[in-house]
Amino acid sequence: MFIAANPSPEKAPVILITGAARRVGAAIAQTLHACGARIALHTRQSRTEAEMLAAQLNAQRPDSALVVMADLLETSTIEPLVSRVAAHFGRLDGLVCNASSFFPTPMGQISETDWHDLVGSNFKAPLFLAQAAASYLQAAQGCIVNITDIHAERPLAGYPLYAAAKGALLTLTRALAVELAPRVRVNAVAPGPILWPEDGQFPAAEQQAIVQHTLLKRAGTPQDIARTVRFLMLDAPYITGQVINVDGGRSAHLAT
């Protein structure tokens, strides 16, 4: 998928980004919008932030951003969500599955509620989003980018269910690349230490230890992820079924 210089509004590609109101999702939305795309900003709870971001984007180009709300843990909401985006803009060219739950699940304390949340957000929702979007993406020769995690392949102690769910998403990325070829490309971006959880899961000393374990000795930024998504979405027409680790080199010598 390439964006022509100064495309007419009705021809500008449309990209749906889940979890787009804040943090990494918002950075992805801003980056793709700056390239000329029209953006559907999905959120579950952060409606105020999503509407503020949409207002900023629409101030730059009228009717270039839309807020759509849905609880992706409820599968019945997914097809109407995708259909609304396609109906509003007249097309759908790209899907970025960014929405994710992340919290520890020590063995012996894992509940079905944990399963529903972590597997639902990190694996089930991307699967059903891809299924709902497939016909639109095939018509547009579009692209899917899933946000996985370096711990999909190298599990993080204390987070077995999250790591397994992201591992399933990584495998799904490759499976969808097979299923949707040749008209739709499917790839993944796997972040390392980019933004720390806001609930204090990682104390300062632990954050520093993780950063020191990266080859670059620093944390990344949401823009590092956004630029990689932009590359896979807009500038990589011969790449599919791949995952790019954006982690400062942490996974290069991270023990399994």
Side-chain angles (χ1 to χ4, degrees), residues 114-212:
D114 297 334
W115 172 275
H116 180 65
D117 195 342
L118 288 168
V119 175
S121 64
N122 289 296
F123 174 43
K124 187 175 78 168
L127 168 61
F128 283 95
L129 280 161
Q131 181 169 270
S135 62
Y136 301 107
L137 297 176
Q138 288 168 336
Q141 298 189 54
C143 179
I144 297 173
V145 178
N146 293 319
I147 306 300
T148 58
D149 192 299
I150 60 170
H151 296 299
E153 296 183 281
R154 297 170 175 82
L156 179 65
Y159 293 77
L161 186 53
Y162 170 79
K166 284 298 193 184
L169 180 57
L170 188 155
T171 300
L172 178 65
T173 298
R174 293 170 176 153
L176 289 175
V178 173
E179 296 297 324
L180 299 178
R183 297 188 65 82
V184 180
R185 297 180 301 107
V186 187
N187 294 293
V189 176
I194 300 296
L195 283 179
W196 305 105
E198 296 173 319
D199 59 5
Q201 290 180 46
F202 294 89
E206 191 170 348
Q207 293 180 22
Q208 184 60 27
I210 291 172
V211 168
Q212 285 303 307

Side-chain angles (χ1 to χ4, degrees), residues 1-253:
M1 183 201 321
F2 290 91
I3 298 180
N6 301 315
S8 59
E10 68 277 5
K11 292 184 178 180
V14 175
I15 301 172
L16 168 60
I17 305 168
T18 66
R22 303 170 60 247
R23 293 166 62 89
V24 171
I28 294 171
Q30 291 165 329
T31 297
L32 293 174
H33 184 269
C35 293
R38 292 176 287 172
I39 306 297
L41 304 163
H42 159 266
T43 184
R44 180 176 64 171
Q45 296 176 322
S46 302
R47 181 170 186 168
T48 299
E49 293 92 336
E51 290 181 344
M52 289 176 60
L53 178 56
Q56 294 171 9
L57 301 181
N58 283 324
Q60 297 171 32
R61 294 199 313 276
D63 196 28
S64 61
L66 170 72
V67 174
V68 286
M69 297 190 67
D71 182 353
L72 299 181
L73 298 182
E74 299 298 330
T75 307
S76 61
T77 70
I78 289 177
E79 188 169 348
L81 169 70
V82 172
S83 296
R84 182 185 173 196
V85 173
H88 179 85
F89 288 114
R91 60 191 295 167
L92 180 63
D93 301 79
L95 169 65
V96 180
C97 292
N98 167 73
S100 169
S101 293
F102 174 74
F103 54 85
T105 52
M107 288 299 294
Q109 301 177 33
I110 301 173
S111 68
E112 286 196 21
T113 299
D114 297 334
W115 172 275
H116 180 65
D117 195 342
L118 288 168
V119 175
S121 64
N122 289 296
F123 174 43
K124 187 175 78 168
L127 168 61
F128 283 95
L129 280 161
Q131 181 169 270
S135 62
Y136 301 107
L137 297 176
Q138 288 168 336
Q141 298 189 54
C143 179
I144 297 173
V145 178
N146 293 319
I147 306 300
T148 58
D149 192 299
I150 60 170
H151 296 299
E153 296 183 281
R154 297 170 175 82
L156 179 65
Y159 293 77
L161 186 53
Y162 170 79
K166 284 298 193 184
L169 180 57
L170 188 155
T171 300
L172 178 65
T173 298
R174 293 170 176 153
L176 289 175
V178 173
E179 296 297 324
L180 299 178
R183 297 188 65 82
V184 180
R185 297 180 301 107
V186 187
N187 294 293
V189 176
I194 300 296
L195 283 179
W196 305 105
E198 296 173 319
D199 59 5
Q201 290 180 46
F202 294 89
E206 191 170 348
Q207 293 180 22
Q208 184 60 27
I210 291 172
V211 168
Q212 285 303 307
H213 201 266
T214 69
L215 298 181
L216 298 183
K217 306 300 182 188
R218 57 182 174 83
T221 69
Q223 287 69 36
D224 291 315
I225 304 302
R227 283 189 290 265
T228 309
V229 172
R230 178 188 64 193
F231 165 69
L232 290 172
M233 185 69 67
L234 303 178
D235 296 318
Y238 201 56
I239 297 177
T240 194
Q242 305 302 311
V243 55
I244 298 179
N245 291 354
V246 182
D247 65 352
R250 175 167 162 79
S251 59
H253 65 146

